[in-house]
Amino acid sequence: MELINKITKIIFQFKLHNYNIVFTDYLLTLFLVPTIVLIIFKVLLSFKKTERVFFTIYEMFLNNFTDSLGKEIEPYVPFLFSIFCFLYSFNFFSLLPFLYPITTNFKFNFTISVMIFLLLIVLIFRTHGIKAWKPFLPSGLPMVLKPFIFLIEFILFFVKPITLAFRISLNLAIGHIILEIFSSFAKGGVSNIPSLIIVTLMTIFEIMIGILQSYVFVTLSAVYIKDMISEEH
């Protein structure tokens, strides 16, 4: 887990009564990025041209999910699109040297995953009521096997947020580690020009990976939501 969770840097700290207050780059990123993104969105959406571009991207996002998963998923697309923008904003701004790559932190991604799965649990009970437990007990099973199958299915369901969080954390962490290695070469003057070229290419690659991983995250979330609200559930 040490590979995934990068050590935070202390920006400043002070004592308040008997408490030691510490402000790290993790907290700076957590507060600064959403603020910057909200300001950028507010400014950009005040112009009609950029507003049209934004809604065109949203419509592409909506059409892709409804085409692949059906119209049932449409009411949840705004939520999924918000999660996508939220994750990618952190992915993009974490490339800046003074900010913490927060989406490489397993705890952060796990928190987002748990929030989505809490929504799934609400959805499944709202849609199916007491029948929500049906998928955990496939029909036609002998009575002796039912407790074991229920336990296995129940565990697998709650393992999903862990796999979601681990996937995005590990993939982004590896990219950041490679980028830092080449950046240290460039700073140290080791093959300076080739290193700078590689760092530039790696930064572009990281931006693309950030888009891809954010999209994969919300796509898997959409698939899980589809499973929860499916009439055949």
Side-chain angles (χ1 to χ4, degrees), residues 23 26 28 57 70 97 123 157 172 191 193:
F23 194 83
Y26 183 98
L28 175 66
I57 295 169
L123 286 176
F157 177 80
L172 291 172
S191 304
I193 294 175

Side-chain angles (χ1 to χ4, degrees), residues 108-171:
F108 174 82
N109 293 322
F110 182 68
T111 303
I112 302 298
S113 301
V114 167
M115 288 171 60
I116 292 171
F117 270 79
L118 288 175
L119 172 67
L120 291 182
I121 292 169
V122 172
L123 286 176
I124 187 173
F125 278 99
R126 192 184 72 175
T127 308
H128 303 287
I130 196 66
K131 293 181 180 178
W133 297 107
K134 190 178 177 182
F136 298 106
L137 285 171
S139 58
L141 283 174
M143 187 59 68
V144 180
L145 292 177
K146 281 186 177 181
F148 300 103
I149 298 300
F150 177 83
L151 182 62
I152 291 169
E153 291 291 337
F154 189 78
I155 291 170
L156 286 175
F157 177 80
F158 284 96
V159 161
K160 286 177 181 178
I162 299 173
T163 58
L164 262 179
F166 190 78
R167 179 192 180 98
I168 190 171
S169 300
L170 186 60
N171 287 338

